[in-house]
Amino acid sequence: MRFRRAGNTFLIVVVVLFVALCVVMFLLKGRHGASVLGTGIPGLAAAVPQDTCLFLAFDTRESAQFKKMLAKAQELAKDPKLSEPLKKAGDEMGISLEEILRLAEPDGCVILFPTEGRKGLVPTRDNTKPFEVGLLVGVRDEQKAREAIGRVLEKHKAQAVRAEEGGREIFTVGAGANQVAYGFKGGALFVSTGRSSLLRLMDVSDKKGPSLADSPTFKEALGRVPVGEASNAVMLYTDLRQSLTGWDTDLAETPPSETEKATVNGLQYVVLGASGEQSGGFVKLDKASTSKVIQALLKVEGVPNGSAQFVPVSWGSYNSLNFPYLYALVLELLRLSPQTSQLPDQLPGNFEQSTGVNLADVFAALDGELAVGSNALEVLQEHARGQAKKDPKEEDHYTCISNTRNLGTALEMYSTDWSGLYPPSLAQLTPNYLKIIPNCPAAGKDTYSASYQVTTAPDAFTVFCQGTNHVQANYPEYSSVQGVIDPDYQRLRESHTDDDRMPEPTYIVLIGLKSVEQYQKIADTLTARSGMQPGQAEKIGDTTVYQLHPQVQWAVVARPSPMLLIGVGPKPHDVLAKALGSEPKVAAAPAYTQMLPRAGKSWVTLGYQDFDGLMQALGEEMSQSSGDEAELGKVLMDLAKSSGDMNEASFLSVEADGLRLGGGGVSGSIMMAGVVGAAVLVPNFVRARGQGQLTACKSNLKNIATASEMYASDYEGRYPRSLSVLTPNYLRIIPNCPAANADTYSASYTMTVSPDAFTVFCQGHNHESVGTPADYPKYSAIQGLIER
């Protein structure tokens, strides 16, 4: 669906309202008054149509963990570095976060439901709109909410048209297919993508039509997740059978086979939910389906879980798979397509021909478990600690060098726009070429402006850090002729290149064995067939470690479970040593041991994650940066510190009529805390990220322009025919737009002669999130930078 500017802006605002309403928890002293939205997830479901296909809802008024996280969020939001961007975001929207918090209740839902006369969400071949979007959220003061929405619309030069429909007051913004409608009723705000769909929502809330809460399928799904009736839950539900109605006629490019039909029709619903410290989910499948894919999904043989005894808890990450189950499922998926239907039958013969090993012998030697672990968390922690231990004076010195380089780049950009002349003072660089003149971090002030000198004939400049702020006075220096001038520059650059690069983690692959002897026969056959003799590395205790490559080592052990351990990465021997050592393993972690009985013997995947360790390590790493990233790093560290042990164990297992997902430890809190994080951090940091990407894109264009001017100086005033000729003499590479993560400039570049000119722009819709239209920013040899 496409919306006009006014309607789109309004919808974005109300979606932000939906997310941000969670943060109101810390403002509430008790339960809100009577509302048509009812109480808990069932109460929300009673206010939406029965044909709702997707239902995302939460009621978080009574979540103790949520209150704790919200209080922390409120404390963090007082930081000037966060409060200022939040205020700016509020000014841009026309409503502040504080006002949203005063007006909104911490319960609501977003829904997708079919347009009138339709059954599902699948678009028809004539491209008619398949579904409506609805938003319902509780409000504390209807009159003030009306006034706030009015100010938002006025801010964005949009107008709401008031009307009465069946005694109801409704408002519409825009017209036709682009219309957005809203209204208030019984202590709630209703929003939808059209007038008629808004009336449908209001009818259900008046009990004039069947609701989702009345649906037998929804009632069954509700009982599959730990949600209940309390105001302390989040839930996502989608009715696949209803959503996909008509897929075989309206969506499929070619008529599907009966097998494909049976497979898709065998999918019934998906539900996810969390309450307190528990989370769960269920994928309902038709156990009577004739589809072999559905049958494979519902058929599993239990396999041992021995790999968790080798993965240290300190690594914070572990995942184990039931390989025979996944292998059988993949074979049935391959058989679905005519192009790959023969592969499953050919696989055993092809495998034996290429390896000399019978595939059945491989499965006879393995117990079915395949697991992966990694020391990525330890690597991240060590790197962050190393960054924190750096000499602050050297860090200030290197930052000061970066400041002079940035000044040099800005000066070159200025000269490109001003016929090759440099500015008479650095002050003229702001705000178009630099937001501000930076401070030397060691001096805590601008040490560059007073030192800046410029000449003409030839046009040149020098700028340096004035004073004895680093090792030597009046250094670092930057010259338009020589670049960076500093006796310590080379040493600092090399140390930062080495230290700043994030080390690669090392992985361990664990393969369960039925017997070491059977495995060894297969390994000997593979070795003889390939002709590669593994080299023996040093022993780890009584275990012999073999080496195929400096980054690939393995060992076979019989205790505590027969297992093949393969270390892959920069430090395979260290990883194997830890796996075979005595430090605490995942198998003994409380969250993991408590989860295993729920997973049962029919498990498909088992996992373990240390979320607070990850947040702490990421926070430490990000806090070594600058600007918004450093602030977000501090937020993550603070949340990790205040949240306690956030260890999560999860599973996917097979039941008679579907797949069960479950979590233990802090899963429910994590889901709810994620909503808090989104409410407080995402609007600010997404906007900051978008603005940063736009700034970098404009800088890329200016650098391309500078390189083009340098090229023209060498080629009698003629600009290059294409950007590719600028590399490597004028630009090392053609840069990527950070928003698109691709070169968006080369295809847009055009040049002319008589007059000699060029234009280049960022091609595509890459910066619309910050209000920049498609194919902008742009740079012209005549006009310079054109932002829109």
Side-chain angles (χ1 to χ4, degrees):
M1 291 175 293
R2 298 179 62 85
F3 297 89
R4 293 179 181 173
R5 182 178 179 87
N8 190 37
T9 301
F10 177 65
L11 191 60
I12 289 172
V13 169
V14 295
V15 170
V16 170
L17 173 66
F18 166 71
V19 175
L21 66 86
C22 303
V23 190
V24 77
M25 180 66 77
F26 63 80
L27 298 175
L28 299 179
K29 303 301 181 183
R31 302 173 63 86
H32 63 68
S35 167
V36 297
L37 300 186
T39 302
I41 301 298
L44 292 164
V48 302
Q50 190 171 89
D51 61 352
T52 293
C53 293
L54 187 144
F55 175 71
L56 171 61
F58 63 87
D59 187 338
T60 55
R61 285 168 286 156
E62 297 175 2
S63 168
Q65 179 69 14
F66 203 48
K67 289 179 181 179
K68 182 179 179 181
M69 301 295 287
L70 286 162
K72 179 57 64 176
Q74 182 188 28
E75 179 185 332
L76 293 168
K78 293 178 181 178
D79 188 316
K81 292 180 180 178
L82 285 176
S83 60
E84 184 178 342
L86 287 172
K87 182 180 182 302
K88 184 177 179 181
D91 293 340
E92 291 175 2
M93 289 191 301
I95 183 171
S96 68
L97 178 61
E98 290 79 8
E99 187 170 14
I100 292 174
L101 300 182
R102 288 195 299 271
L103 296 175
E105 294 286 8
D107 57 349
C109 62
V110 170
I111 64 171
L112 298 184
F113 55 108
T115 54
E116 211 159 356
R118 299 288 302 280
K119 291 184 178 180
L121 305 184
V122 175
T124 58
R125 293 193 181 278
D126 60 4
N127 203 30
T128 56
K129 189 170 69 169
F131 60 85
E132 308 279 7
V133 180
L135 164 69
L136 287 71
V137 58
V139 294
R140 297 174 66 81
D141 189 316
E142 285 190 16
Q143 184 56 40
K144 289 183 179 179
R146 291 169 186 263
E147 295 170 358
I149 291 176
R151 290 198 306 274
V152 171
L153 293 173
E154 184 179 353
K155 171 79 175 179
H156 295 280
K157 297 180 173 56
Q159 186 174 2
V161 179
R162 180 186 176 280
E164 286 195 14
E165 299 275 353
R168 301 189 187 96
E169 181 185 46
I170 67 170
F171 299 85
T172 55
V173 182
N178 300 315
Q179 189 178 76
V180 176
Y182 70 94
F184 292 90
K185 179 179 176 297
L189 168 65
F190 290 70
V191 183
S192 189
T193 47
R195 183 187 64 83
S196 61
S197 61
L198 179 69
L199 293 174
R200 288 175 65 195
L201 294 181
M202 290 185 164
D203 279 345
V204 173
S205 67
D206 279 339
K207 311 301 180 188
K208 294 180 180 179
S211 73
L212 183 63
D214 300 322
S215 163
T217 303
F218 179 79
K219 288 179 180 178
E220 177 188 317
L222 190 64
R224 299 277 194 172
V225 290
V227 170
E229 303 281 339
S231 299
N232 177 21
V234 295
M235 180 178 177
L236 171 66
Y237 163 81
T238 178
D239 186 334
L240 296 174
R241 275 193 166 173
Q242 184 176 332
S243 299
L244 297 175
T245 298
W247 72 272
D248 51 342
T249 56
D250 295 332
L251 193 63
E253 294 183 4
T254 58
S257 66
E258 291 304 314
T259 302
E260 290 171 325
K261 283 185 181 181
T263 300
V264 175
N265 294 336
L267 308 173
Q268 298 195 351
Y269 65 74
V270 176
V271 61
L272 301 171
S275 180
E277 294 190 353
Q278 291 294 318
S279 70
F282 196 80
V283 181
K284 178 67 180 294
L285 304 172
D286 181 4
K287 60 183 178 181
S289 172
T290 58
S291 165
K292 290 188 176 181
V293 172
I294 299 297
Q295 293 171 8
L297 283 167
L298 293 174
K299 183 179 180 181
V300 66
E301 293 183 7
V303 300
N305 174 223
S307 61
Q309 301 172 85
F310 294 94
V311 178
V313 173
S314 61
W315 288 357
S317 177
Y318 162 79
N319 288 282
S320 183
L321 306 173
N322 183 325
F323 182 75
Y325 174 88
L326 297 175
Y327 175 76
L329 178 60
V330 169
L331 292 185
E332 294 304 333
L333 289 170
L334 289 173
R335 289 192 175 101
L336 273 181
S337 171
Q339 290 77 22
T340 58
S341 61
Q342 302 302 315
L343 290 180
D345 296 326
Q346 297 170 356
L347 185 60
N350 292 341
F351 183 83
E352 186 168 4
Q353 185 177 359
S354 60
T355 64
V357 176
N358 187 292
L359 190 58
D361 291 341
V362 174
F363 280 101
L366 308 181
D367 70 9
E369 183 182 20
L370 173 65
V372 179
S374 166
N375 68 346
L377 179 57
E378 284 188 347
V379 168
L380 182 61
Q381 290 171 332
E382 290 172 5
H383 186 259
R385 290 165 190 152
Q387 294 288 90
K389 290 179 182 178
K390 285 184 176 179
D391 184 345
K393 291 183 178 179
E394 288 206 347
E395 291 304 293
D396 288 348
H397 191 171
Y398 192 74
T399 301
C400 189
I401 290 173
S402 297
N403 287 347
T404 62
R405 293 177 64 185
N406 292 339
L407 287 167
T409 300
L411 288 164
E412 294 295 348
M413 292 178 184
Y414 180 99
S415 71
T416 301
D417 293 344
W418 295 91
S419 304
L421 297 176
Y422 296 112
S425 72
L426 295 186
Q428 290 177 274
L429 295 177
T430 61
N432 294 327
Y433 303 92
L434 281 174
K435 185 177 179 181
I436 59 170
I437 303 301
N439 288 342
C440 166
K445 62 181 181 179
D446 170 14
T447 57
Y448 314 109
S449 293
S451 73
Y452 174 70
Q453 293 183 346
V454 61
T455 62
T456 56
D459 294 300
F461 71 83
T462 60
V463 62
F464 57 84
C465 179
Q466 192 173 65
T468 311
N469 302 310
H470 306 291
V471 180
Q472 297 190 40
N474 297 333
Y475 283 100
E477 180 179 343
Y478 193 97
S479 157
S480 57
V481 177
Q482 296 175 265
V484 175
I485 307 169
D486 190 300
D488 297 296
Y489 177 48
Q490 188 63 29
R491 176 181 61 82
L492 288 170
R493 185 171 64 175
E494 290 174 356
S495 68
H496 278 73
T497 299
D498 291 338
D499 293 346
D500 289 345
R501 186 170 57 249
M502 175 69 71
E504 293 182 13
T506 302
Y507 296 88
I508 186 169
V509 179
L510 304 105
I511 301 174
L513 305 176
K514 287 181 180 175
S515 81
V516 174
E517 292 75 16
Q518 286 178 292
Y519 157 77
Q520 196 59 56
K521 290 179 182 178
I522 293 174
D524 291 342
T525 301
L526 291 172
T527 299
R529 182 66 174 261
S530 66
M532 298 178 63
Q533 293 296 325
Q536 183 172 319
E538 57 186 278
K539 283 197 169 187
I540 299 174
D542 295 331
T543 303
T544 303
V545 177
Y546 297 92
Q547 177 174 298
L548 179 64
H549 180 276
Q551 292 198 344
V552 180
Q553 295 183 10
W554 77 88
V556 178
V557 296
R559 298 176 188 172
S561 298
M563 193 75 57
L564 168 64
L565 293 80
I566 308 172
V568 182
K571 299 181 178 180
H573 192 80
D574 292 351
V575 162
L576 293 176
K578 284 208 167 187
L580 297 170
S582 59
E583 65 178 277
K585 301 296 194 297
V586 167
Y592 191 78
T593 57
Q594 292 165 15
M595 174 272 294
L596 283 178
R598 295 174 62 199
K601 294 182 179 180
S602 62
W603 63 270
V604 175
T605 66
L606 302 172
Y608 177 82
Q609 301 291 330
D610 179 357
F611 284 106
D612 64 324
L614 179 62
M615 281 203 303
Q616 179 68 30
L618 282 174
E620 290 177 1
E621 181 71 22
M622 294 171 70
S623 66
Q624 306 304 318
S625 303
S626 58
D628 288 338
E629 188 174 351
E631 292 307 313
L632 181 55
K634 293 175 183 176
V635 168
L636 288 175
M637 286 193 293
D638 207 2
L639 288 175
K641 189 182 298 182
S642 63
S643 301
D645 292 332
M646 295 181 68
N647 300 321
E648 164 73 357
S650 58
F651 68 88
L652 172 65
S653 60
V654 178
E655 294 190 357
D657 59 347
L659 306 177
R660 176 166 297 283
L661 300 87
V666 295
S667 52
S669 299
I670 288 170
M671 289 181 73
M672 294 186 178
V675 180
V676 180
V680 176
L681 300 176
V682 169
N684 178 37
F685 287 104
V686 165
R687 181 175 286 100
R689 183 171 181 265
Q691 288 288 357
Q693 290 172 337
L694 176 61
T695 300
C697 185
K698 289 189 286 188
S699 178
N700 287 347
L701 286 170
K702 290 177 179 179
N703 290 340
I704 289 170
T706 299
S708 298
E709 295 291 349
M710 294 167 64
Y711 179 97
S713 297
D714 293 343
Y715 288 90
E716 300 178 347
R718 296 294 171 86
Y719 293 111
R721 297 182 306 279
S722 69
L723 295 187
S724 61
V725 301
L726 294 177
T727 60
N729 294 328
Y730 302 94
L731 281 174
R732 186 170 63 85
I733 58 171
I734 303 301
N736 286 346
C737 166
N741 195 28
D743 169 13
T744 58
Y745 313 110
S746 293
S748 74
Y749 176 80
T750 58
M751 62 85 67
T752 62
V753 294
S754 299
D756 292 299
F758 71 85
T759 59
V760 60
F761 56 84
C762 180
Q763 191 174 63
H765 302 261
N766 303 314
H767 303 288
E768 287 189 333
S769 65
V770 288
T772 299
D775 298 337
Y776 281 90
K778 181 183 295 187
Y779 199 101
S780 160
I782 298 172
Q783 296 174 268
L785 185 68
I786 308 167
E787 298 193 38
R788 65 178 63 200

